[in-house]
């Protein structure tokens, strides 16, 4: 049984976490883009089998579930599912046959379809879900022609599962074999291709770094590279267990709309609180959540104020979105709005707004 076949035997808990985020995000995202009166295409570049052996839904069926209500209302939607491995693609076809929305299953390497997707992006709203199984399955540049459409004003978003920990292990394996990273060695060049640059090399070579920080720094580097196309990039590490130091991978969301950052963050906070809740609170008599998981308005206001000092005079919604990016997945947009209101009312933030209600376009600035 190959790694891929094994993967579909049973859905792992960290995959469920990722699926929650996908579902929670797609719902409001699709509701929003449905108002643009352009046809919508959701592309699952690494679609897998559609359903796991234990009956759990795979991402193609989760995507179909979210598209169905729109399709029912007459919105033009289409799903594209791409899977490279023949037997898995066969399963995918069977499992999605009656998924209830117009869809196409392509068997083969997603790279073959990038040109067609790029063309679609000139007339459609496109959401890409990119969920590889091995770090080497996705080269950073693979989707650049699709992302390049953003420069032409098209509506494209991406949710990438960057296999940060797997990537670091692969790179450390190379370092172990050659004692120093030779930048021209073919294996190092292969890592450059995956990462989209050489920025990862010093982090892997620095043996003094904690592994967790190394993984986070490289994921941040990856996200930074995506900023060449996407104005807003939100990155969040997904762990298997709450206590785990090292993540399994990083989910990275790229969009050109600040509103989408609010939505994705909301989806991530919701999934996170469910994950944390299931671990700490369910079935317990007392609230035993770790302190950092209980929203502390004072701590949140301090984060907002630090962000405000970095930004200077700015607009309310920008302060909120930058606060989100500085501490992703911890606070919802409405909690941050409440923090901004409090700071205005207490005079720590100056504003053209009164602070009694949310005014996204109002000006805000730190008073000290
Ligand atoms: C992590 S699994 C996807 C799981 C799926 N997103 C889900 O949640 O149900 C990755 C899948 O991508 C497939 N794959 C690997 N390389 C690919 C490529 N170049 N093009 C398309 N599919 C590929 C693998 O065979 C595997 O089934």
């Amino acid at each position: 049984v190959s790694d891929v076949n094994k993967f579909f035997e049973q859905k792992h808990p960290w995959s469920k976490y990722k699926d929650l985020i996908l579902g929670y995000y797609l719902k409001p995202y699709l509701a929003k883009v449905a108002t643009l009166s352009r046809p919508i295409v959701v592309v699952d570049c690494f679609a897998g089998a559609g359903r796991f052996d234990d009956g759990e839904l795979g991402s193609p069926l989760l995507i179909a579930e979210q598209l169905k209500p729109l399709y029912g209302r007459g919105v033009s939607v289409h799903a594209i599912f791409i899977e490279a491995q023949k037997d898995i693609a066969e399963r995918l076809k069977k499992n999605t046959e009656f998924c209830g929305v117009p869809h196409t299953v392509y068997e083969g390497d997603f790279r073959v379809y990038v040109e067609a997707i790029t063309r679609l992006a000139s007339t459609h709203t496109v959401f890409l879900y990119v969920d590889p199984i091995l770090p080497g399955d996705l080269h950073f540049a693979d989707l650049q022609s699709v992302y390049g459409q953003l420069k032409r004003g098209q509506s494209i978003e991406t949710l990438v599962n960057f296999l940060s920990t797997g990537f670091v292990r692969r790179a450390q394996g190379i370092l172990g074999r050659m004692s120093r990273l030779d930048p021209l060695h073919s294996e190092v060049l292969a890592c450059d291709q995956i990462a989209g640059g050489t920025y990862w090399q010093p982090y892997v070579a620095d043996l003094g770094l904690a592994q967790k920080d190394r993984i986070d720094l490289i994921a941040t580097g990856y996200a930074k590279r995506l900023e060449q196309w996407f104005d807003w990039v939100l990155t969040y590490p997904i762990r298997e267990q709450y206590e785990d130091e090292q993540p399994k991978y990083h989910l990275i969301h790229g969009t050109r709309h600040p509103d989408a950052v609010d939505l994705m963050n909301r989806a991530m906070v919701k999934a996170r609180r469910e994950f944390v809740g299931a671990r700490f609170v369910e079935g317990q008599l007392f609230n035993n959540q770790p302190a950092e998981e209980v929203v502390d308005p004072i701590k949140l206001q301090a984060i907002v104020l630090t962000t405000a000092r970095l930004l200077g005079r700015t607009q309310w919604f920008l302060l909120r979105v930058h606060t989100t990016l500085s501490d992703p997945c911890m606070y919802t947009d409405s909690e941050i709005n409440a923090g901004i209101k409090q700071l205005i009312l207490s005079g720590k933030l100056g504003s053209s707004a009164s602070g009694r209600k949310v005014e996204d376009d109002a000006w805000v600035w730190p008073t000290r």
Side-chain angles (χ1 to χ4, degrees), residues 101-121:
V101 290
H103 67 281
T104 316
V105 174
Y106 291 112
E107 182 196 321
D109 186 339
F110 77 96
R111 293 174 184 94
V112 171
Y113 303 98
V114 165
E115 215 184 292
I117 300 167
T118 306
R119 258 181 276 123
L120 266 182

Side-chain angles (χ1 to χ4, degrees), residues 4 7-8 45-48 58-59 83-84 108-111 131-132 137:
V4 175
F7 180 90
F8 290 105
C45 296
F46 294 83
S59 53
E83 170 55 44
D109 186 339
F110 77 96
R111 293 174 184 94
D131 182 25
D137 290 345

Side-chain angles (χ1 to χ4, degrees), residues 236-256:
Y236 192 69
I238 304 291
R239 295 183 161 73
E240 178 177 2
Q241 302 270 340
Y242 182 79
E243 298 84 355
D244 287 353
E245 265 231 326
Q246 288 175 27
K248 284 301 252 188
Y249 49 79
H250 280 75
L251 274 185
I252 305 185
H253 174 231
T255 177
R256 56 195 295 220

Side-chain angles (χ1 to χ4, degrees), residues 63 69 88 94 110 121 123 170 193 215 224 258 262 299 362:
I63 290 167
I88 303 280
K94 280 207 191 77
F110 77 96
T123 46
R170 174 172 168 160
Q193 276 195 309
I215 294 168
K224 274 254 157 300
D262 283 338
K299 189 170 160 205

Side-chain angles (χ1 to χ4, degrees), residues 328-348:
C329 198
M330 289 304 290
Y331 308 104
T332 64
D333 46 328
S334 56
E335 287 161 358
I336 299 175
N337 280 332
I340 296 175
K341 280 197 225 166
Q342 270 310 315
L343 288 166
I344 294 172
L345 290 172
S346 65
K348 291 188 182 125

Side-chain angles (χ1 to χ4, degrees), residues 39-60:
I40 300 167
V41 179
V42 177
V43 187
D44 193 341
C45 296
F46 294 83
R51 193 184 278 279
F52 288 70
D53 296 343
D54 61 4
E56 292 272 351
L57 305 187
S59 53

